[in-house]
Amino acid sequence: MSEQALIPGAFPHRLPDWIRPTVLDRCGSTNDVVKEMARTGAPEGTLVRAIRQEAGRGRRGRSWLSDAGNLACTLLLRPGGTPQRAAELSFVTALAAGEAVDGLVAAAPKLKWPNDILVDGAKIAGILLESEADIDGSVAWVAVGMGLNVRHHPDMADYATTSLLAQGADVEPDQVMAAYAGAFDRWYRRWQEFGFAPVRAAWLNAAHGLGGPVTVRLHDRSFDGRLLDLDADGALLVETPAGRVRVTAGDVFFPHAAQTTS
Ligand SMILES: O=C(O)CCCC[C@@H]1SC[C@@H]2NC(=O)N[C@@H]21
């Protein structure tokens, strides 16, 4: 990993008490920084933001561009429980990121399975969860990485992207991170108290393309269908001529709209 200069001074916005931020001038990936901290005992609520990431990562080994002006941060959680339950945190995170965007832009943010946030059909934010289990199989920690295009967005060949600035919102990444942290606090508490049901309901309420045609790309094949629902465990339910299919990993594409991958 390259140089990591700590930006001195207090974080300029109010965050929930349990979330303690560190801002780095640069790093490879904030997920890697937080994973290392998790392995050496850092507490839940450790939050690392990098002004620049030099090796930002997305899902499925894709790279994630994050120059100064955008938000790249990772929050450390220690929720315990099973890895299956911890996976629900990607929906908690999507709701929090969506709320941070909502109100800043005219169009309502939409959530695309499994963990993209779209505005006007274009990707504005993505989420990368990584975790480790204890010897008994329970979750030791989860590194919740979130990248949000605040002031610029990359040109991608195969899907549309946008930023808050391109949508007319002239804001600073720290301000967006504070809104995200506040929304995360609310959704995380709700999830801990009431489980996945309210998270699932809110996610469905903001879901992109529900009821419409979808192409699902798995690692070894693709198929078309209609986007039906989110299952009680976060799997996507797709209706196909051959019957209902549960999708637990893959990419979804929506015809006749800006394409995004996640
Ligand atoms: O859309 C995706 O594929 C997920 C992108 C996740 C990017 C964020 S930026 C902060 C954190 N650090 C990383 O290296 N990745 C995540």
Side-chain angles (χ1 to χ4, degrees), residues 28-31 53 55-59 62 64 66 71-74 115-116 123 125-128 145-148 261-262:
S29 154
T30 54
N31 266 35
Q53 282 189 129
R57 290 184 283 107
R59 286 179 61 240
R62 298 180 184 116
W64 179 264
S66 41
L71 175 57
C73 64
T74 301
N115 47 21
D116 283 359
K123 180 163 174 169
I127 294 159
L128 177 67
M146 201 279 289
L148 199 152
T261 64
S262 61

Side-chain angles (χ1 to χ4, degrees), residues 161-201:
T161 60
T162 190
S163 68
L164 289 174
L165 191 60
Q167 296 290 326
D170 187 356
V171 289
E172 292 302 323
D174 277 348
Q175 185 186 334
V176 181
M177 190 169 87
Y180 166 66
F184 197 99
D185 174 52
R186 285 189 297 281
W187 279 109
Y188 188 46
R189 285 173 198 271
R190 216 166 283 166
W191 176 77
Q192 285 175 315
E193 196 170 348
F194 303 109
F196 188 50
V199 172
R200 174 177 170 272

Side-chain angles (χ1 to χ4, degrees), residues 181-260:
F184 197 99
D185 174 52
R186 285 189 297 281
W187 279 109
Y188 188 46
R189 285 173 198 271
R190 216 166 283 166
W191 176 77
Q192 285 175 315
E193 196 170 348
F194 303 109
F196 188 50
V199 172
R200 174 177 170 272
W203 191 92
L204 281 167
N205 205 33
H208 181 73
L210 204 60
V214 67
T215 298
V216 177
R217 191 182 295 165
L218 307 178
H219 74 281
D220 56 349
R221 67 192 171 99
S222 295
F223 62 88
D224 295 332
R226 193 169 64 87
L227 190 53
L228 277 187
D229 203 350
L230 190 66
D231 214 347
D233 62 354
L236 200 65
L237 295 178
V238 179
E239 184 182 60
T240 76
R244 183 179 286 206
V245 177
R246 262 174 58 86
V247 182
T248 54
D251 287 321
V252 299
F253 298 86
F254 297 95
H256 313 304
Q259 298 289 289
T260 72

